[in-house]
Amino acid sequence: MKAFGSSLLALWQQLGFNQRVSLSVAALAVVGAMIALVLWSRRPDYQLLYARLGEKDAAAVISHLQAQNIPHQVGAGGTSVSVPANVVHKLRMDLAGKGLPSGEGVGFEIFDKGQFGLSDFVQRTNYLRALQGELSRTIAQLAGVRSARVMIVQPENRLLLTEQGVKPTASVFVDVGGGRLAAEQVNAIRHLVANAVQGLVPDQVAVVDNRGQVLSEELRQDPTLGSATSQMRYKQQVEDYLARKVESMLATVIGPGQAVVRVSAEIDTEATTLTSEKFDPEGQVVRSQTINEDNTLSSETSAKGGSVGISANVPEKAATAEPAARPVSNSEATRKNRTTTYEINRLVTNTTRNPGTIRQVTAAVMVAQRAPVGTEAPVRRTPEEINALRQVVLNALGLRPAAGQSLDALVSLQEVSFATAPGTQDLTATPPAARVQEWIGVAAKWTAVAGAAAVLLVFLRLLSRQKPETVPVEMLSLPPDLAARSLQNGTAVTPDMLNELIRQKPANIGTALRDWVAAPSKN
């Protein structure tokens, strides 16, 4: 090790001033790059803790991190906080236990602390505040919504109802930045709020974005049109379903993106109720039968004798009276009544037809020409192939042409050349902005490594270009036989001479070895 240090010292002494400066600067650059690389590698990997925080929530979260002496970074104008990746999950659980972030407004945690002596009005107000806060937090979780606020107006509870038509209403303010919510998302917000408030209907919920646009106006149903909005939505769903059904089938046969299908459906939007009643005279049945039968038989016979009563006891009347004849009476009566009631067979049918029945379906299909092979032109399909594809579409849609009706009236199928080659776009390709962010992240990780490697390569290249100046070997007194042998061989340095020089002056060992190795060998 001591000999190696002596060799390096001797080599350093042989270098010139410019060479020493260049070597020193390169060595310092390499050392600095290595130190920077070590420091960069030991830097903690920050990961996003929370984003889109309000001012109060951000201040509370940062205060908690400072109290725990946890390093953090604040970005996005103070609305996002990043912490080391190894503590991000633990911090989220700790902050959740403290109710942070609380979101916009207060939620049902307002009832966590018992408060006695509050009036009924204050309790109802706190409940309304909690309900608004919970709805705001839920809506803020939707994709495309940065923040949300919900305002609910409920009629006061009174013993005497003065206004019967007062109903609860609600307003929702959503911050979507520069984006726009789809109609399905707006409708979901309306139903979410309406189902959370008793007596509230979706039409009484107004949704407004940060640009001042009323998003729920288009979804409100007009009473004069009935359910026209739902009818149009149902018609669109039916047409989209049938179109996707045909397109997916054609994509398997002729290739994806090679067909465009549009379906038009005629929907029956009327609700009808049909009641029919039919009588069958041939199907008579006995419903009830009543039979009444009366028989009367009477007979009376009277014998001859005097008068009876007061007149028979009067002497004058008794002397002049004639003997009375005895009466004989006979009577016989018979009566029969029969009543039969018949029931005629009756059939009653009630038929109710709800709206939504598909009356008629027509389709328009455009298929692309066959892709050319090599330099050939596109090949058009034959009429038989076109008719076969049309029949396939008819069967897929379940259409049956009426008598005398042509197939073109139901399905119009044409073969055309598309403007752009379908199927060439990669739907899974990463957007340019995302690719740029990914490249920046990768470049930031490997910049320090690449810089250190580049400095090291430059140092090695400069070191390889530096050639020490030739220093002649200090020739001391050599024995006569060594000097004569050197002159005979024509070599500046021989092994015997090198041994002699090492014994006489060890400082010449570096130069002697270099000259000996660099000397051309003779065959």
Side-chain angles (χ1 to χ4, degrees), residues 201-484:
V201 295
D203 286 343
Q204 299 297 328
V205 180
V207 182
V208 183
D209 62 1
N210 56 326
R211 291 177 293 183
Q213 298 180 356
V214 182
L215 305 179
S216 59
E217 189 66 24
E218 298 179 356
L219 301 176
R220 189 184 301 274
Q221 295 183 359
D222 191 352
T224 59
L225 298 178
S227 58
T229 304
S230 59
Q231 293 174 5
M232 292 298 297
R233 189 180 301 111
Y234 174 74
K235 182 175 183 296
Q236 183 180 3
Q237 291 175 356
V238 171
E239 294 176 349
D240 292 344
Y241 166 74
L242 295 177
R244 289 195 303 269
K245 182 179 179 181
V246 177
E247 283 187 0
S248 61
M249 181 184 60
L250 294 179
T252 308
V253 178
I254 62 178
Q258 299 291 326
V260 178
V261 181
R262 294 295 181 268
V263 177
S264 177
E266 183 179 353
I267 307 298
D268 187 4
T269 59
E270 296 181 356
T272 58
T273 301
L274 178 63
T275 302
S276 61
E277 185 176 359
K278 295 181 180 180
F279 294 92
D280 186 10
E282 301 296 333
Q284 298 180 0
V285 294
V286 177
R287 183 175 182 179
S288 61
Q289 186 176 16
T290 303
I291 299 176
N292 298 324
E293 184 174 355
D294 297 335
N295 295 323
T296 303
L297 179 61
S298 62
S299 177
E300 182 180 356
T301 302
S302 300
K304 293 183 178 180
S307 300
V308 296
I310 297 175
S311 59
N313 296 323
V314 176
E316 293 80 5
K317 295 291 183 181
T320 59
E322 295 180 357
R326 180 178 293 179
V328 177
S329 173
N330 294 324
S331 64
E332 182 177 357
T334 302
R335 185 178 62 180
K336 293 183 178 181
N337 295 329
R338 182 175 182 178
T339 302
T340 304
T341 303
Y342 293 92
E343 186 71 25
I344 300 177
N345 188 15
R346 183 182 64 172
L347 178 63
V348 179
T349 304
N350 294 325
T351 304
T352 302
R353 295 180 180 178
N354 296 324
T357 305
I358 302 177
R359 293 181 178 178
Q360 186 178 4
V361 175
T362 57
V365 182
M366 300 181 68
V367 296
Q369 298 178 357
R370 290 194 181 97
V373 179
T375 58
E376 299 179 1
V379 181
R380 300 186 64 87
R381 293 178 175 82
T382 61
E384 291 76 11
E385 294 176 339
I386 297 296
N387 292 332
L389 291 177
R390 182 181 290 106
Q391 188 63 41
V392 168
V393 175
L394 286 171
N395 295 335
L397 296 178
L399 301 180
R400 297 293 182 269
Q405 187 179 15
S406 63
L407 299 181
D408 292 339
L410 297 178
V411 176
S412 174
L413 194 147
Q414 297 181 0
E415 184 182 16
V416 296
S417 59
F418 288 176
T420 57
T424 57
Q425 297 181 354
D426 187 8
L427 299 179
T428 61
T430 306
R435 289 200 301 268
V436 171
Q437 294 294 335
E438 183 179 358
W439 293 341
I440 291 176
V442 174
K445 293 181 178 179
W446 295 100
T447 298
V449 178
V455 172
L456 182 60
L457 292 176
V458 171
F459 172 72
L460 295 177
R461 188 173 183 82
L462 292 176
L463 186 61
S464 63
R465 290 183 178 181
Q466 301 298 329
K467 295 181 179 181
E469 298 178 358
T470 303
V471 179
V473 178
E474 182 180 357
M475 300 299 294
L476 302 178
S477 57
L478 295 174
D481 55 347
L482 291 179

Side-chain angles (χ1 to χ4, degrees), residues 37-351:
L37 179 61
V38 172
L39 294 177
W40 179 83
S41 62
R42 296 181 62 183
R43 186 184 62 178
D45 182 18
Y46 283 90
Q47 188 175 351
L48 183 64
L49 178 64
Y50 289 113
R52 298 185 298 178
L53 293 174
E55 295 181 356
K56 295 182 180 179
D57 290 338
V61 171
I62 294 174
S63 176
H64 177 77
L65 297 178
Q66 291 176 351
Q68 298 293 331
N69 294 325
I70 299 176
H72 58 277
Q73 293 180 350
V74 180
T79 60
S80 65
V81 179
S82 301
V83 295
N86 57 345
V87 297
V88 61
H89 300 291
K90 181 178 180 299
L91 281 176
R92 286 177 180 172
M93 290 187 292
D94 294 342
L95 293 173
K98 296 180 177 295
L100 295 175
S102 60
E104 296 293 337
V106 65
F108 281 106
E109 65 271 7
I110 194 174
F111 297 105
D112 293 342
K113 298 180 181 179
Q115 298 178 356
F116 299 97
L118 297 180
S119 62
D120 181 67
F121 175 77
V122 176
Q123 289 286 3
R124 286 188 286 107
T125 303
N126 289 339
Y127 173 76
L128 191 61
R129 290 177 56 197
L131 183 60
Q132 293 176 164
E134 293 294 338
L135 288 174
S136 300
R137 297 175 185 177
T138 305
I139 296 173
Q141 300 300 321
L142 297 177
V145 179
R146 292 184 177 180
S147 61
R149 294 193 63 183
V150 179
M151 287 73 71
I152 301 175
V153 179
Q154 288 185 331
E156 296 183 4
N157 295 329
R158 296 182 179 179
L159 296 177
L160 299 178
L161 298 178
T162 57
E163 298 181 4
Q164 299 290 342
V166 178
K167 297 181 179 180
T169 58
S171 300
V172 181
F173 173 81
V174 291
D175 183 6
V176 296
R180 182 178 179 84
L181 293 180
E184 292 79 6
Q185 293 177 301
V186 178
N187 198 28
I189 294 174
R190 295 170 64 239
H191 284 80
L192 176 66
V193 177
N195 292 332
V197 180
Q198 182 180 5
L200 184 61
V201 295
D203 286 343
Q204 299 297 328
V205 180
V207 182
V208 183
D209 62 1
N210 56 326
R211 291 177 293 183
Q213 298 180 356
V214 182
L215 305 179
S216 59
E217 189 66 24
E218 298 179 356
L219 301 176
R220 189 184 301 274
Q221 295 183 359
D222 191 352
T224 59
L225 298 178
S227 58
T229 304
S230 59
Q231 293 174 5
M232 292 298 297
R233 189 180 301 111
Y234 174 74
K235 182 175 183 296
Q236 183 180 3
Q237 291 175 356
V238 171
E239 294 176 349
D240 292 344
Y241 166 74
L242 295 177
R244 289 195 303 269
K245 182 179 179 181
V246 177
E247 283 187 0
S248 61
M249 181 184 60
L250 294 179
T252 308
V253 178
I254 62 178
Q258 299 291 326
V260 178
V261 181
R262 294 295 181 268
V263 177
S264 177
E266 183 179 353
I267 307 298
D268 187 4
T269 59
E270 296 181 356
T272 58
T273 301
L274 178 63
T275 302
S276 61
E277 185 176 359
K278 295 181 180 180
F279 294 92
D280 186 10
E282 301 296 333
Q284 298 180 0
V285 294
V286 177
R287 183 175 182 179
S288 61
Q289 186 176 16
T290 303
I291 299 176
N292 298 324
E293 184 174 355
D294 297 335
N295 295 323
T296 303
L297 179 61
S298 62
S299 177
E300 182 180 356
T301 302
S302 300
K304 293 183 178 180
S307 300
V308 296
I310 297 175
S311 59
N313 296 323
V314 176
E316 293 80 5
K317 295 291 183 181
T320 59
E322 295 180 357
R326 180 178 293 179
V328 177
S329 173
N330 294 324
S331 64
E332 182 177 357
T334 302
R335 185 178 62 180
K336 293 183 178 181
N337 295 329
R338 182 175 182 178
T339 302
T340 304
T341 303
Y342 293 92
E343 186 71 25
I344 300 177
N345 188 15
R346 183 182 64 172
L347 178 63
V348 179
T349 304
N350 294 325
T351 304

